Amino acid sequence: MQDYDAAEIVCMDCGFVVALNLANRGPEWRAFDHKEYEKKARVGSPQTFTIHDKGLSTMIDWRNRDVYGKKLSSSQKAQIYRLRKWQRRVRISDAYERNLALALSKITKIANSLSLPRNILETASLIYRKAVKKRLIRGRSVQEIGAASVYIACRQCGLARTLDEISLASSISKKKVGRSYRYLLKELNYFVPPMKPRQYVSKFSNQLTMQGNVEKVASKILVAASELKMTCGRGPKGIAAAASYIAAALTGEQMTQREIAEIAQVTEVTIRNRYKEMIKRLLFIMSL
DNA sequence: AAGACGAAAGTGGTTGA
DNA sequence: TCAACAACTTTCGTCTT
């Protein structure tokens, strides 16, 4: 996955940055509202769901000149003026378009502040479009639905982002994001599998700047743990944190429980409980 | 002195009557 | 609508390195 805004190639499994400094082949601008969009749009830009008309519309130049650069006669000028007016009306005429333009810019903002890869942004935009089409936004906050779309997009792509992070980036309370999230899932008939601990592990090890094999060991522990049916009914974060802790210890990279608890957003107690269970079971298996 | 440990009470969200 | 409930957190005193 390529993230042009951050000029990175990002692994969609774990969010790991594979390469930096790509050439940006997309448009060099971003549009936050329709006016700005009109100023910056040009032919040949790639299609994207993040702009309300998918970046596909034509636009009439504002200078009153013809293709040869000659000034237009006054009757031509008047005609062009009328054409422009109509085009404006056609493009952002109804509430639908206006809503979309606003919401997509909000979604872009959230995604950027979380430095999410481009395809998450596209997915979130697509989800939002569906929501609008089904008239699910009526009487609801655009921001809330936007934030929820981003969250769903993350979950669908298996990127470990918590409600907290989304709520922080969008400055909308966790409760509201969660509510809208469930609402969208229900109304759009989406199914989102619960987070796998595995996905958290990669996130943690990135944030902890641990070496690659710590992550590998942690994954192995998780596989073993889930085979032992130890993962059901438990919060995936706690399990992932515990696995990371054990893996770090095994590879001689000793992390304190607090350090892991900090970035995993669980308490040391939870890590302790999980990892004690795991150690017990794993040792038992190994002694067979 | 810092980290790890564990008991006990508290919290917020889900479930089932 | 409400109480029971499971998972997790908070708090705090004690043990270990």
Side-chain angles (χ1 to χ4, degrees):
Chain A
M1 173 59 212
Q2 303 191 353
D3 176 2
Y4 290 115
D5 285 342
E8 292 166 353
I9 292 181
V10 183
C11 168
M12 280 324 300
D13 263 354
C14 55
F16 181 74
V17 177
V18 179
L20 297 172
N21 299 323
L22 303 168
N24 184 347
R25 268 157 284 173
E28 65 280 13
W29 43 269
R30 280 195 313 165
F32 287 107
D33 58 28
H34 185 65
K35 241 189 193 162
E36 200 179 341
Y37 175 77
E38 271 190 332
K39 268 192 252 160
K40 289 172 170 173
R42 54 163 166 67
V43 277
S45 46
Q47 183 182 346
T48 171
F49 289 111
T50 59
I51 293 170
H52 75 285
D53 56 11
K54 302 181 190 171
L56 283 177
S57 57
T58 312
M59 119 125 234
I60 301 175
D61 197 359
W62 67 92
R63 288 162 304 199
N64 290 317
R65 311 228 171 207
D66 62 16
V67 281
Y68 305 110
K70 279 193 290 194
K71 286 211 164 134
L72 298 169
S73 73
S74 57
S75 71
Q76 281 174 317
K77 247 195 252 178
Q79 190 188 7
I80 294 295
Y81 175 78
R82 281 195 300 277
L83 281 175
R84 266 206 293 269
K85 189 161 84 185
W86 274 107
Q87 194 180 41
R88 252 198 324 272
R89 287 185 185 168
V90 165
R91 281 182 60 198
I92 321 198
S93 48
D94 51 21
Y96 170 86
E97 293 291 332
R98 202 166 322 147
N99 183 326
L100 208 50
L102 177 73
L104 293 181
S105 83
K106 299 250 187 253
I107 290 179
T108 308
K109 240 182 226 168
I110 297 173
N112 280 346
S113 81
L114 287 171
S115 45
L116 297 173
R118 180 100 204 164
N119 70 331
I120 297 275
L121 217 180
E122 297 284 342
T123 309
S125 305
L126 194 61
I127 292 169
Y128 190 88
R129 277 169 190 284
K130 282 190 189 168
V132 176
K133 272 212 185 100
K134 283 202 150 195
R135 310 239 168 261
L136 300 179
I137 323 287
R138 257 200 320 189
R140 249 166 263 269
S141 142
V142 171
Q143 309 216 24
E144 278 180 40
I145 302 288
S149 306
V150 175
Y151 185 56
I152 295 180
C154 288
R155 297 289 298 262
Q156 282 189 332
C157 299
L159 207 60
R161 291 292 123 88
T162 60
L163 263 186
D164 288 280
E165 288 168 297
I166 305 279
S167 132
L168 199 69
S170 58
S171 52
I172 293 173
S173 79
K174 200 171 141 189
K175 219 179 187 175
K176 288 182 179 171
V177 181
R179 202 212 301 135
S180 304
Y181 162 72
R182 274 178 311 234
Y183 172 69
L184 281 187
L185 281 192
K186 202 176 77 188
E187 297 298 327
L188 295 175
N189 284 321
Y190 276 0
F191 170 73
V192 181
M195 270 303 186
K196 294 243 165 63
R198 166 85 245 264
Q199 293 158 342
Y200 282 109
V201 165
S202 23
K203 185 189 179 197
F204 296 162
S205 53
N206 273 348
Q207 290 182 3
L208 287 166
T209 61
M210 299 197 290
Q211 281 162 18
N213 60 336
V214 176
E215 189 179 332
K216 261 188 218 157
V217 174
S219 297
K220 274 187 189 159
I221 294 173
L222 284 181
V223 171
S226 68
E227 272 172 10
L228 290 170
K229 307 254 197 290
M230 296 179 53
T231 53
C232 42
R234 260 74 214 258
K237 273 195 299 189
I239 296 176
S244 302
Y245 179 67
I246 298 174
L250 284 180
T251 50
E253 271 207 55
Q254 293 292 1
M255 314 273 321
T256 67
Q257 291 178 354
R258 186 165 305 153
E259 284 171 305
I260 293 182
E262 174 89 12
I263 61 112
Q265 294 289 294
V266 294
T267 52
E268 306 159 53
V269 181
T270 304
I271 294 181
R272 276 203 292 276
N273 291 335
R274 290 297 90 76
Y275 107 90
K276 264 188 305 178
E277 295 167 5
M278 286 187 181
I279 292 277
K280 224 197 290 177
R281 303 294 291 273
L282 291 177
L283 285 182
F284 176 68
I285 291 299
M286 284 157 81
S287 67
L288 292 179

